[in-house]
Amino acid sequence: MSRTTATVAASLPDHWEELVTTALLGTDRRTPPGVAPGPQAPSALLDAAAAATVRRRAGLRPARPAERLRPAPEDPRPALPPAAARRLASLLADRPGASGGGRRGTAPDLMELLPQWLQAANARGYAAPPQALPALLDAARGRTDLRPAALRFAGPRALWLARLNPDWRFALRAAPGGGPSAPDPRDPQDIRRLWHEGLFAERVTLLTALRSRDAAAARALLEETCATERAEDRLMFLDSLRAGLGPDDEDFLERALTDRSRNVRATAAELLSALPASALAARMAVRAAACVAVDRRRDVPAIVVEAPHECDAAMERDGVVAKAPTGRGERSWWLGQLVEAAPLGTWPARLGGRTPQEIVALPVGDGWQGELHAAWCRAAVRQRDAEWSRALLGEPSAPEAGGPGAVSLAERARLLAALGPGERAAWVAGFIETHGLSEAFQLLGVCAVPWAPPLGRAVVDALNIARDAGSYPWSFSGVMGLAERCLDPSEASRLDALLAVPDEPEDAAPGAGGYWSEAFQRLVTTLRLRGAMLAELASEEPAP
């Protein structure tokens, strides 16, 4: 800057807006104050702007410092054994391939083992290593099925991190107490404040958590505001009553039968029908019993059905949907809803004191058997009645593969869920021994993990039969994937004989032998890895 220009710039007033306007118009149309038009005007303008900039910066007041970040909360749980911590790091480092094709090769799919690892770590009460938390939250962000176990394992530090990184905000919604205004569970006023003032997601989380701890308090909260909630919100809140559903909920649910929303009324009716001693269940029992009886005039007793001829207002109030779906007859539609909602205890007294097995074995006249048995299936699932589920499933070796009432594999799977783990595994094992694996995938999915020995042996034997027959191997990839995650690790030694490439029959699928060999090698490797994982978590080795 020349001495003359510096003198001019120093004499200019610090009018920033005026300098900006002059720059926009150009010095040939307007010059800064105290500067004569001419070739020096542009330089004088820039010098004045530079000096004004320095003065503006020097005159800024410092901003208030941000609040110091609070330290992460302590996690009092014991640290992982070192070997288990290394295993967790390797599981989190594995990422599924980008291609959408089937997985080949003999290497285990580590990400598919992460849910089991988390379940075992949570069962032993370990704390997550701090350095693993970012990768753990990233994994849970990409897979919603991981979130409950991952957030439980991550503990309070996951919420601390989620408040700092928007990518992990799902943890604040998914974990109890994750919201920014999480209430003190011991303070009723704090709970009511969040219920009345919180966001919808916060209120759902609050109601669900409170329901598991104090069912009556959760119901009381819902009763306070139910009349003013939106219909879709009422439906979501009402659905939370499934957890801990009991006789004390009946009065509230009876009032919900008159709700303005049809979906809310239907949900209330469904919940009431799951309470066999409720007034709605009694009303449905009377209606259903009027439609079903035993005809004793025949040589062989048989069930006769007289479906309802109308759906009156009282039936609609109790949750019966009057309009049948396309392709369904109205009378059969109404009958199914009545039988489904009636307590299963209605039928032995109504049908001659017979047991559920004897009732299911009775012939049903006029083609009503499928509709009646399907409704009993839905009732057994809703009421979680093991005796009726057992009767409707029938023997697993039956030619119809599941008994007269099990109208689909999905229905059989739901019926199986009402049985104990051992009985469930034994039934599915018998099903596989008779019918093979082609229809067993859904049934295997409801069996407890690890599979009981009889079920594990039935699956391995069926896979071996398919292998020796040269069956199309890719159709068994789903069952193979389940076996990797669900077979007991102790089964690995029994599979060594299946690792060689088998001789392929002439009609075998091309390459089938190589695929089966790879699949069994992967299965054995995965089972041994799962065994090592469990041993590492059970280790007495102290953490560093």
Side-chain angles (χ1 to χ4, degrees):
M1 181 186 300
S2 68
R3 182 178 300 176
T4 304
T5 305
T7 301
V8 172
S11 67
L12 292 177
D14 185 11
H15 299 304
W16 181 256
E17 296 299 330
E18 186 176 351
L19 294 174
V20 171
T21 302
T22 301
L24 292 173
L25 294 174
T27 54
D28 56 339
R29 299 176 58 188
R30 179 173 178 174
T31 57
V35 177
Q40 290 188 344
S43 298
L45 174 62
L46 294 176
D47 290 340
T53 298
V54 173
R55 284 196 294 268
R56 287 163 61 86
R57 289 177 178 172
L60 284 177
R61 292 183 178 180
R64 282 177 175 260
E67 183 179 351
R68 179 173 293 183
L69 190 65
R70 295 182 181 180
E74 293 295 328
D75 194 332
R77 297 174 297 175
L80 282 172
R86 291 191 293 271
R87 180 72 66 189
L88 173 62
S90 68
L91 294 177
L92 291 172
D94 188 69
R95 290 291 182 269
S99 65
R103 181 167 57 87
R104 294 298 304 271
T106 60
D109 188 343
L110 299 184
M111 277 300 290
E112 288 304 315
L113 297 182
L114 182 58
Q116 282 192 18
W117 189 98
L118 289 170
Q119 181 182 16
N122 284 330
R124 290 168 172 81
Y126 286 122
Q131 66 274 16
L133 289 175
L136 183 62
L137 288 170
D138 281 340
R141 180 192 179 200
R143 285 183 54 175
T144 55
D145 62 306
L146 279 179
R147 290 181 182 178
L151 293 177
R152 179 184 170 193
F153 179 60
R157 289 171 174 165
L159 302 182
W160 182 84
L161 286 171
R163 293 187 179 100
L164 303 176
N165 186 344
D167 289 345
W168 300 332
R169 290 292 173 86
F170 69 87
L172 302 179
R173 299 187 298 270
S181 53
D184 183 343
R186 298 164 298 183
D187 187 346
Q189 294 302 318
D190 206 16
I191 289 174
R192 291 187 75 255
R193 175 191 57 77
L194 180 59
W195 176 249
H196 286 276
E197 301 175 9
L199 300 174
F200 174 71
E202 292 176 323
R203 299 175 74 209
V204 170
T205 301
L206 171 66
L207 193 64
T208 303
L210 187 59
R211 181 71 179 176
S212 64
R213 189 171 65 247
D214 187 343
R219 186 180 62 252
L221 273 187
L222 185 53
E223 287 181 295
E224 282 185 22
T225 62
C226 192
T228 61
E229 305 284 359
R230 298 183 306 166
E232 55 267 33
D233 294 352
R234 292 199 304 277
L235 180 62
M236 183 71 73
F237 293 145
L238 192 66
D239 200 59
S240 71
L241 298 184
R242 294 181 191 277
L245 182 67
D248 291 343
D249 298 315
E250 182 179 357
D251 288 344
F252 175 73
L253 293 173
E254 272 285 341
R255 292 195 297 274
L257 291 176
T258 60
D259 193 275
R260 301 183 302 275
S261 166
R262 183 180 67 181
N263 290 333
V264 171
R265 295 195 301 271
T267 300
E270 180 189 347
L271 293 173
L272 284 168
S273 67
L275 297 172
S278 68
L280 178 137
R283 295 193 295 270
M284 288 298 197
V286 171
R287 293 173 181 133
C291 300
V292 181
V294 173
D295 185 353
R296 296 181 177 85
R297 296 172 300 176
R298 305 182 184 185
D299 294 336
V300 177
I303 293 176
V304 291
V305 173
E306 180 66 27
H309 290 274
E310 65 173 345
C311 180
D312 57 31
M315 288 169 60
E316 288 196 64
R317 179 187 179 275
D318 284 346
V320 177
V321 178
K323 184 174 176 58
T326 303
R328 288 288 302 274
E330 284 187 333
R331 296 182 66 200
S332 65
W333 172 244
W334 300 331
L335 173 73
Q337 293 179 80
L338 296 180
V339 173
E340 177 183 354
L344 289 165
T346 303
W347 303 111
R350 173 63 175 162
L351 302 178
R354 292 176 171 85
T355 66
Q357 287 81 359
E358 292 169 337
I359 291 172
V360 170
L362 287 173
V364 182
D366 299 326
W368 284 105
Q369 177 168 304
E371 187 67 49
L372 181 61
H373 284 194
W376 277 336
C377 280
R378 296 192 297 274
V381 170
R382 181 181 296 184
Q383 298 171 37
R384 300 192 65 80
D385 190 299
E387 188 177 9
W388 272 90
S389 295
R390 199 176 292 119
L392 290 162
L393 280 165
E395 292 298 322
S397 58
E400 63 272 23
V407 295
S408 68
L409 284 170
E411 196 73 44
R412 293 170 205 153
R414 289 191 285 270
L415 289 169
L416 282 168
L419 306 182
E423 186 178 2
R424 199 182 314 163
W427 196 95
V428 177
F431 180 94
I432 291 171
E433 289 168 0
T434 302
H435 304 285
L437 288 169
S438 59
E439 294 187 348
F441 187 82
Q442 284 181 287
L443 306 180
L444 288 169
V446 300
C447 293
V449 177
W451 288 336
L455 178 57
R457 287 193 295 271
V459 171
V460 171
D461 290 345
L463 287 171
N464 190 24
I465 291 171
R467 166 185 175 267
D468 290 343
S471 300
Y472 192 67
W474 295 274
S475 61
F476 294 92
S477 59
V479 174
M480 270 293 187
L482 272 180
E484 291 172 22
R485 300 188 294 276
C486 302
L487 268 177
D488 193 302
S490 63
E491 295 286 328
S493 58
R494 292 185 57 241
L495 298 171
D496 286 337
L498 304 178
L499 300 182
V501 178
D503 296 330
E504 296 185 7
E506 292 183 1
D507 57 347
Y515 175 90
W516 281 111
S517 176
E518 280 187 352
F520 278 114
Q521 288 181 52
R522 184 172 61 246
L523 177 57
V524 170
T525 303
T526 303
L527 292 178
R528 288 181 173 145
L529 176 57
R530 285 175 52 213
M533 283 168 32
L534 296 176
E536 290 161 358
L537 285 166
S539 171
E540 298 290 335
E541 183 182 1

